[in-house]
Amino acid sequence: MTISHDVLVVGAGLAGQRAALQAFRSGVDVGVISKLHPLRSHSGAAQGGINAALDPKDSVKDHIYDTVKGSDYLADQDCVEILCKEAGPTVIEMEHMGTIFNRAPDGSLDRRAFGGASYNRTIYSADRTGLALLQGLYEEVGRDPRVRIYEEWDAIDLVVREGRVQGVVALQRKTGKIEGFAAKAVVIATGPAGRVYGKTTNSHESTGDGCSLAYRAGAYLKDMEFVQFHPTCLPHTSILITEGARGEGGILRNSKGERFMERYAPHFKELASRDVVSRAIVTEVKEGRGFPDGTVHLELMHLGKEKVESKLQEIVAYARTFAGIDPVVQGIPVFPAQHYMMGGVSTNSRAETNIPGLYAAGEAACVSVHGANRLGANSLLETLVYGKIAGQNAAEYAKKASASTLGPTDIDAATSVVHQILERKEGESPAKLRSELQSTMDELVGVYRHPDDLINAVTRVAQLKERYRSVVVADKSTVYNLNLMEAIELGHLLDLAEVIVTGALARTESRGAHVRTDYPKRDDAKWMKHTLAQITKEGPSISYLPVTVTEYQPKERAY
Amino acid sequence: MTQVTYQILRTDGQGGAPHFQSYVVEIGENEAILTGLLKIRNEQDPTLAVRFSCRQEICGSCAMRVNGKSRLVCSALVGSETKTHNNVIRLEPMANQPVLKDLVVDQTPFWDRYRSVRPYLIPDPANPLPEGKESRMTPEQVEQFRETPRCIACGACYSACPAVGSDPDFLGPMALAKLYRFTVDPRDGGYHERLESIQNQKLWLCLRCNLCVEACPKDVRPAERIVDLKRLANQEVGVRERGSRHSVGFLTNIEEGGILNETKLARQSLGLFGMLGQMGKGIEMMRHGRSLKKHPPIQGVSEVKAIYADLNKPEDVKGRERPQGKGVKGGQS
């Protein structure tokens, strides 16, 4: 059976829902498929806030400059300009939709300091800003039942034929049935792929499905080697402790009691950009100034119980529950963990990919507005600004496009791949392969990257991909077969890991979050360009794309 | 690390009878119950179905019953159960919703109730949103939301609630907490119609058992917001529904004599006609030696009246320009 929509959005987090809302408002018929209920999306886990130069004393220009500097000059400046100009209207729109933000005493939107920002421009909702925005947007989308959301449907194939997108084939978790979703335009908004790593702040469902489906269908992936490690995560669980904690005045200390960030970033200290703070923490621990459990401490005690418990309510609960630490009286042990992929499906400022009719937005996409390192509180902003742009342009495209030709042969092709996995009697367990992939990435492709490790990682990922060809699932049922889903997701993780390690090995410089021990300096003459990866039978084929510079020529980056 | 037995109610979702299956897991007491479930899935039995994603109490996927109580297993720790339950963790799917497979339920009834409260801002023609600017809201007005913005819609409260299970009219704790969140929102124009829509069994079937408060991993305290809604509904819409009349009757009764006058309360709650239907019960009560005559006021009735006077004192409530008094006259029971 085939379901048909003008625009089909894959993913129902902030970017996906914003795209759907905009396409609907543009007058086309919209469907959204999501492997989770929309409110379970990983957007809801974002904590610290959303940047917007709303204060009259702040300026959009400063926001642009901070973002470009934070990106280590790899962001496309025309796209950053759109992001920052749209920030104010976007936040106000979300407020009008009903989002509950923290307020200043005069009733205006309260703001907090954030990393890499020259002004307090982070609008927030305690330390659950993602949840607040997700609720607001879901409520707005839910106002009109004509925006059809298909919950717990996993996209398993993206169909591109006759030089354009034709739709998606998806599997319903509840029944196991596989159906075609014909669409004139498709928006990929499937969020993060952090589960390529084991030590990640990302949710278990963050497996980069849409990103990999687009790649397999011929879309370019951009800048995948740029992986952000968030400086402050709980040990063992890698649960995120928001940058907002430092924005509210939290400080980092090593085991000698030193406020070590003074040495690494004399002006910004704890609020330097994330790549800088993560490297500082890794260096402190490596040089023997960490605590015995291999962490440094994030101290909030001096801020007072009331402030900590109200403005940082969620992370206080996390520290108490997951680490047995009370931040009101103790330092929180923290260490960097994978947090965000700067890379993704390559798009331009109109959210278009290289495939006609295919759009992408949010963490699954790479515009690029974050370049080599994203500033905190710019990702929520990006989901909404570029989600809206993607929805708008997908709708305009769909209005002019002819009907999709997605049909039974497409569904059969996708179904046979699933059946192959289901019918296999013996082979490799997806959980085991996933765990090996994750430890490979954790150990070999981290904050500091050694050439030998990267070469090793390329080999190991290739071996895992080979073993994946005989992946087997124990669950053969059609109802809620999570074992099957994790096998399919593992395929996505492996494809994306291959692109990450290939790009990282090729880029012989250090820029933003990509730091090569053998090439410790940024090399603008050679590497002021985006990495593009396209799928071939032999693996990713790498090419490069110039960076758009409008106003800010690259200069040395100091915090 | 200790050995813990996970007893999991398995349902194949294809018509087979549910049965418990036991797994022994090596796990630390300070680890989440979910961690043990993932160990089982990864190392022992990949066929086990369970919803999970964020593992940090924010996506709301992994609510289920743990040794009979509805909890979110990513933040419920192993040690909280093993000590009291002899190293056994019994896991069953949430109650009040059909089971799809193992620990996964079909949440449709839960979401239907949520959607029925119109969970979005209703425009207020008298107070339009300022164009191109944010609406103003003081920190005190934000306080009025209480903890409702923390709700992650996990459904633990819905699973714990005895009233949703027994009566399809009752909206349940999460939907009512959500309705409260919009009712107190200064941007919302639906104040009256929202309260009007629930001044009936949808609201008053709450038993005040507080199981939702106990189940909620985010401390949203739905039962307390339900009490607020009852008070606001009585103030705004009037005391007209059986439950609300009963609550006000209770209050005035005690205020008058310091003791319950059951005959009068029945008349207040049910009306004269309604009382006729209860005659059998009245006769039964008298046969068992229960006097239905009015009890004279108790000795310390003046002190009772003083308490009422104190409770009814108007309070300074900043924020919304609507009656927000904490007085007991509205009735809350």
Side-chain angles (χ1 to χ4, degrees), chain B residues 170-207:
Chain B
F170 182 52
L171 284 172
M174 181 270 190
L176 285 168
K178 185 59 81 175
L179 189 131
Y180 170 88
R181 168 253 172 280
F182 283 100
T183 302
V184 298
D185 194 318
R187 297 166 293 190
D188 191 66
Y191 187 79
H192 182 82
E193 59 184 286
R194 288 187 193 282
L195 292 169
E196 170 82 41
S197 75
I198 53 162
Q199 186 63 328
N200 49 46
Q201 307 277 295
K202 288 180 183 175
L203 171 67
W204 287 91
L205 279 173
C206 170
L207 307 166

Side-chain angles (χ1 to χ4, degrees), chain A residues 261-294:
Chain A
M261 280 314 297
E262 287 171 344
R263 280 188 270 120
Y264 298 85
H267 298 289
F268 280 68
K269 300 186 184 75
E270 282 81 5
L271 289 175
S273 65
R274 288 177 178 173
D275 55 334
V276 173
V277 182
S278 284
R279 281 195 290 277
I281 294 173
V282 171
T283 304
E284 287 299 298
V285 172
K286 204 172 73 186
E287 292 179 356
R289 293 185 295 277
F291 287 88
D293 61 349

Side-chain angles (χ1 to χ4, degrees), chain B residues 264-306:
Chain B
K264 188 176 175 189
L265 179 63
R267 196 177 69 235
Q268 285 170 311
S269 307
L270 304 171
L272 273 172
F273 274 113
M275 270 185 82
L276 287 176
Q278 300 292 318
M279 266 176 64
K281 194 175 276 173
I283 292 164
E284 192 78 354
M285 282 166 80
M286 284 195 282
R287 268 200 342 170
H288 284 83
R290 184 81 169 265
S291 166
L292 294 182
K293 275 193 290 191
K294 189 181 172 186
H295 192 285
I298 61 164
Q299 252 185 350
V301 72
S302 60
E303 282 168 49
V304 173
K305 287 188 198 273

Side-chain angles (χ1 to χ4, degrees), chain B residues 24-45:
Chain B
V24 178
V25 187
E26 283 277 331
I27 192 163
E29 297 213 317
N30 292 324
E31 292 193 76
I33 291 170
L34 177 66
T35 306
L37 270 176
L38 299 187
K39 279 190 173 184
I40 294 169
R41 287 202 75 252
N42 292 338
E43 296 159 18
Q44 301 183 37
D45 189 350

